[in-house]
Amino acid sequence: METLALILAGGRGSRLDILSEKRSKPAVPFAGKFRIIDFALSNCTNSGIFQIGILTQYLPLSLNEHIGVGKPWDLDRRDSFVTLLQPNNSWYEGTADAVRKNIEFVKRYASKYVLILSGDHIYKMDYRKMIEQHKATGADVTIAAKIVPIEEANRFGILETNDELQVTKFQEKPKQPKSNKASMGIYVFNTDALVKQLESYPDIVDLDFGNHIIPHMIENSKVYAYEYYDYWKDVGTYDSYLDANLQLCSDDCTLDLYDTKWKIYTKSEDLPPVKIGDKASIKDSLVSHGDQIYGKIDHSVLSPGVKVGEGSVVKNSVILNDVQIGKNVHIENTIIDKEAIIGDNCVIGTGDDYTPNKAKPKVLNSGINVIGKRLVLPENTVVERNVRIPSSATKKKIETKHLHSGESLE
């Protein structure tokens, strides 16, 4: 076996707040019918990598149920496998610590290379090209790198390279970055080099690739960058999540979900075709199987099983699986989690007041509303902007008919 892939999928995704209160970030639905982790898994199988370990931790049930034995990604064959690796005696404390705690799994399969991936990014990438460059340069580790706007560079691990793409310096989220070449959190290691590095830090509990492993290897090993220029997005905030979903509705989106040569695979439900009523209107949107549309959908993404009643308008929004929207409802700039019920005549996303959410101002401040899983919003309720209603909110607390901008119901 030449390459073993390890997908780090245990992240809580705290900035996704309500969307990750019942699931890990890689299990969050995306683009209607998919989950975020589907992109890394599909990239592996499309790249001919069929030996995969998935390191889970935070609320793994939804993710485990989704992956199962890996059948949608052709990972249930005799010569392939997907193994879910959960913490045993202690929690994973860092990205490299997660791999270190599964070092026996890595040794067992004795692959020549280990491909380490994040399970919470949206992109389509042929890993074979990166591995071929890794071989050609004789690198001990190769890091996938993406050019980002310099004003955003302080959010990433930043690489500096010479003309041959050998990495000369690495800084994890520098306050004043000298480069805008960002690490994508994708690494190809020679297996022996990875094992040696992980075993040489027995005393560092929160062992991390960006903070510990990579800086040390730059000084003592051959570290190269692999430059990647196509679509790649970290959907770790409400704004980036909503924006990335809505980008897919545009004709000029560079992430092509319709490319038959590089499909994104997923576990799919058996649901009937989309039903579009005689008064319905759908514009610049993605709708999924099992949807029933009797109102107007404008620049929005609907997951499977959503029902939109007559006279209702859904605009610039993401509606997840099996949400039921009543009649004469207006929804704008809103994310609604699975199985929520929106009563008749509700208005969600209205007014000129953009007061940031008082409970979590850094998370919710651009006018987006977020409604939690299985929440019932009574009819005639008005929700302004930057309002968050977790699934833990009780019906009694939603007896108020008007939620002002910046409010939360806990």
Side-chain angles (χ1 to χ4, degrees):
M1 180 173 65
E2 183 175 73
T3 304
L4 170 69
L6 297 178
I7 301 178
L8 305 178
R12 180 173 181 175
S14 58
R15 292 176 299 165
L16 281 178
D17 188 29
I18 290 171
L19 293 182
S20 60
E21 66 176 342
K22 299 291 185 182
R23 57 170 83 86
S24 63
K25 181 180 170 183
V28 172
F30 183 81
K33 64 177 293 185
F34 303 108
R35 306 274 189 128
I36 293 175
I37 198 172
D38 291 339
F39 290 82
L41 279 171
S42 299
N43 288 339
C44 283
T45 56
N46 285 326
S47 299
I49 299 170
F50 293 96
Q51 294 80 32
I52 302 172
I54 300 178
L55 284 62
T56 66
Q57 177 161 273
Y58 174 76
L59 294 176
L61 180 60
S62 179
L63 187 65
N64 294 354
E65 289 179 342
H66 178 68
I67 294 169
V69 297
K71 185 177 179 61
W73 304 274
D74 207 16
L75 295 170
D76 58 341
R77 308 179 307 175
R78 185 173 63 180
D79 59 344
S80 65
F81 63 81
V82 58
T83 303
L84 299 170
L85 302 166
Q86 296 175 324
N88 289 320
N89 298 324
S90 61
W91 286 77
Y92 301 146
E93 300 290 344
T95 54
D97 179 61
V99 179
R100 179 175 58 183
K101 284 188 169 76
N102 291 282
I103 195 70
E104 294 305 318
F105 178 82
V106 174
K107 291 179 178 179
R108 176 188 299 178
Y109 291 102
S111 62
K112 192 170 183 180
Y113 307 109
V114 177
L115 173 67
I116 295 178
L117 307 169
S118 172
D120 53 13
H121 295 156
I122 306 298
Y123 65 112
K124 293 166 64 175
M125 181 178 182
D126 189 342
Y127 301 131
R128 291 171 295 195
K129 296 178 180 179
M130 183 176 175
I131 294 169
E132 286 304 313
Q133 179 192 295
H134 179 81
K135 295 178 185 178
T137 59
D140 294 297
V141 58
T142 299
I143 306 169
K146 175 79 174 172
I147 302 300
V148 299
I150 191 65
E151 60 271 16
E152 297 180 15
N154 59 4
R155 296 174 44 221
F156 301 92
I158 295 299
L159 310 171
E160 295 181 39
T161 62
N162 61 22
D163 292 340
E164 285 74 42
L165 294 181
Q166 186 168 3
V167 179
T168 58
K169 191 173 183 180
F170 179 88
Q171 288 184 292
E172 184 68 20
K173 299 180 180 178
K175 292 182 178 179
Q176 295 181 324
K178 297 179 181 180
S179 164
N180 62 341
K181 189 175 291 185
S183 169
M184 297 169 63
I186 299 172
Y187 311 100
V188 176
F189 279 91
N190 293 339
T191 302
D192 55 355
L194 175 64
V195 171
K196 179 181 177 181
Q197 287 295 317
L198 294 177
E199 291 182 338
S200 64
Y201 291 92
D203 300 324
I204 298 180
V205 176
D206 58 344
L207 191 64
D208 186 79
F209 285 112
N211 287 321
H212 304 109
I213 301 295
I214 299 304
H216 180 265
M217 292 189 72
I218 290 172
E219 299 296 329
N220 301 278
S221 307
K222 296 179 70 175
V223 181
Y224 281 79
Y226 172 78
E227 294 183 340
Y228 182 75
Y229 295 99
D230 293 329
Y231 184 100
W232 175 78
K233 190 124 183 173
D234 181 350
V235 289
T237 65
Y238 284 142
D239 290 292
S240 61
Y241 177 80
L242 182 63
D243 181 61
N245 271 280
L246 298 184
Q247 279 181 4
L248 296 171
C249 300
S250 303
D251 294 336
D252 58 354
C253 181
T254 56
L255 180 67
D256 185 3
L257 296 179
Y258 303 92
D259 182 1
T260 57
K261 296 179 180 179
W262 199 275
K263 295 181 180 179
I264 303 301
Y265 301 98
T266 191
K267 179 182 177 181
S268 189
E269 300 176 77
D270 292 325
L271 292 172
V274 176
K275 167 69 174 177
I276 302 175
D278 61 351
K279 297 179 181 178
S281 169
I282 302 175
K283 178 183 176 183
D284 196 27
S285 298
L286 301 181
V287 296
S288 305
H289 51 298
D291 288 347
Q292 301 176 62
I293 312 299
Y294 300 98
K296 180 179 179 181
I297 311 299
D298 185 3
H299 196 58
S300 296
V301 175
L302 274 59
S303 290
V306 173
K307 183 176 181 180
V308 180
E310 288 185 12
S312 292
V313 176
V314 178
K315 184 176 181 180
N316 298 330
S317 297
V318 174
I319 313 298
L320 300 188
N321 305 59
D322 301 313
V323 170
Q324 305 295 297
I325 297 171
K327 297 180 180 180
N328 301 312
V329 173
H330 185 94
I331 298 172
E332 186 172 337
N333 296 330
T334 297
I335 303 168
I336 303 180
D337 206 345
K338 287 184 173 185
E339 300 174 23
I341 298 174
I342 309 301
D344 294 346
N345 306 309
C346 286
V347 178
I348 307 173
T350 185
D352 298 324
D353 183 356
Y354 282 77
T355 299
N357 187 266
K358 296 171 185 175
K360 297 196 174 182
K362 293 183 179 180
V363 170
L364 205 56
N365 52 49
S366 65
I368 299 171
N369 295 306
V370 187
I371 294 176
K373 190 175 183 179
R374 298 194 182 100
L375 191 115
V376 178
L377 196 66
E379 60 184 24
N380 300 309
T381 302
V382 175
V383 178
E384 293 186 6
R385 303 191 185 276
N386 293 320
V387 172
R388 52 188 297 278
I389 311 178
S391 58
S392 55
T394 65
K395 293 181 181 178
K396 184 176 181 180
K397 289 183 179 179
I398 312 179
E399 287 179 356
T400 175
K401 290 298 183 182
H402 197 123
L403 292 166
H404 297 278
S405 293
E407 289 193 275
S408 296
L409 290 180
E410 299 293 352

